[in-house]
Amino acid sequence: MNAQTVQLLSILSACRPDDEELARESRIGRIMQSEDYQALMHRQAFAGLMQDHFTEAKLRTYTAEQLDRVEKALPILSDCLDNLLFSLKNGDCPSLTSADRPDFTDSEPLAALRDRLEEGTGKNYCNIPDKDFLHIFDDATVKSLQPYFLELPQPCEDYDAAIRAVLAGKRYCIRASEVKSLEEAYRGEADACLRQLGTKRTQRFKLRLGKALIGLFAVLLPPLAASLTGLLTSSATHGLMAFLFLCAIVFWRKG
């Protein structure tokens, strides 16, 4: 349908306002000749939506009310698409769910999604190509690294490559800020474990040292006292020391 045909239909529709079919034809022509429609037709990322909602054959199945909604939605749709594609790599797309998928023929949810995505910033790790952007509304798309973080190498010098390896075969869109937060939490827990381990080692060393000193005094003092007082002979003293030494070893290891 060319521009002249659209203009003629518009004139005929104005002359015959009660002809609903003519009014529908005029509106379909106006939609298809609009700058917004023509621009979207040539966007590769929009090809799937165009096929599903905006071909001439599809437009002819719509009621007059639906066509009116489409005409109002088209000027917003291009901006919404731009924000979606940008936000895959640099915005709020990781927060989207299946409940956020808008009716792409309705201006109100499109405007709400466009405005929401304009407020989000920050780098994302994402492997969804522009032409498949609708997968961002799929709940099977991985949008948090938390369940997989411990599978990554630590320390990790290249999270982009590591995430690709761990999530091979899965679609994902994950905030870089979440990855950083998980890394900081991991390091904090690792440091706490090392401090706790160091404390336990120190306590264990002190305990063994104390037991060794007790054992030393237990081995030396009785034989020394017996020798000084003449209660035991020299050979008996040596025997007592040997016995007490064995007792000290058992105490040091088991006590």
Side-chain angles (χ1 to χ4, degrees):
M1 192 178 295
N2 58 35
Q4 290 180 336
T5 302
V6 172
Q7 187 176 9
L8 178 60
L9 285 172
S10 180
I11 294 172
L12 290 174
S13 179
C15 294
R16 298 165 60 182
D18 295 333
D19 191 331
E20 293 184 3
E21 187 59 30
L22 184 60
R24 287 182 72 257
E25 285 295 319
S26 176
R27 185 166 293 177
I28 290 171
R30 191 164 63 244
I31 289 172
M32 294 181 65
Q33 286 297 313
S34 69
E35 291 183 4
D36 296 309
Y37 186 91
Q38 292 296 318
L40 288 168
M41 278 186 64
H42 295 92
R43 298 194 65 171
Q44 184 179 4
F46 193 68
L49 283 176
M50 177 64 74
Q51 188 66 32
D52 291 340
H53 300 290
F54 299 102
T55 60
E56 182 175 355
K58 189 66 178 179
L59 291 174
R60 292 188 182 282
T61 67
Y62 291 159
T63 65
E65 183 181 357
Q66 288 174 310
L67 289 171
D68 184 56
R69 286 170 55 195
V70 168
E71 194 167 11
K72 292 177 180 177
L74 284 174
I76 300 171
L77 188 50
S78 185
D79 287 343
C80 186
L81 180 61
D82 286 338
N83 287 0
L84 273 167
L85 298 181
F86 179 81
S87 294
L88 285 173
K89 304 293 192 300
N90 302 281
D92 204 31
C93 270
S95 69
L96 298 178
T97 68
S98 57
D100 297 307
R101 176 168 176 160
D103 178 351
F104 288 96
T105 66
D106 191 337
S107 60
E108 289 189 11
L110 283 173
L113 180 59
R114 175 200 62 191
D115 296 344
R116 170 181 170 178
L117 292 174
E118 281 181 355
E119 298 176 359
T121 58
K123 176 186 173 182
N124 300 325
Y125 297 104
C126 181
N127 69 343
I128 302 174
D130 288 354
K131 65 182 181 65
D132 294 329
F133 76 93
L134 286 175
H135 285 296
I136 196 60
F137 299 106
D138 187 347
D139 291 335
T141 297
V142 178
K143 296 164 190 171
S144 173
L145 191 62
Q146 189 165 1
Y148 306 94
F149 187 77
L150 293 180
E151 298 179 35
L152 300 178
Q154 292 296 333
C156 186
E157 297 182 358
D158 186 350
Y159 275 109
D160 198 7
I163 291 171
R164 280 201 307 271
V166 169
L167 298 180
K170 294 183 175 69
R171 292 188 178 90
Y172 59 85
C173 186
I174 299 166
R175 296 181 190 275
S177 59
E178 185 207 38
V179 177
K180 182 179 180 181
S181 177
L182 289 171
E183 180 185 37
E184 291 174 350
Y186 175 85
R187 288 182 177 176
E189 290 182 7
D191 290 343
C193 288
L194 288 174
R195 286 194 298 270
Q196 187 176 12
L197 181 61
T199 300
K200 287 183 177 180
R201 284 178 174 173
T202 301
Q203 291 174 343
R204 188 177 179 184
F205 172 76
K206 289 180 178 179
L207 178 62
R208 288 195 168 189
L209 179 61
K211 288 162 68 174
L213 291 175
I214 292 172
L216 180 63
F217 284 113
V219 170
L220 295 179
L221 288 180
L224 180 62
S227 176
L228 292 175
T229 58
L231 295 175
L232 296 174
T233 63
S234 176
S235 59
T237 301
H238 291 158
L240 177 62
M241 288 183 65
F243 173 74
L244 293 176
F245 180 72
L246 291 173
C247 292
I249 292 177
V250 173
F251 172 73
W252 184 73
R253 294 181 62 88
K254 304 290 186 178

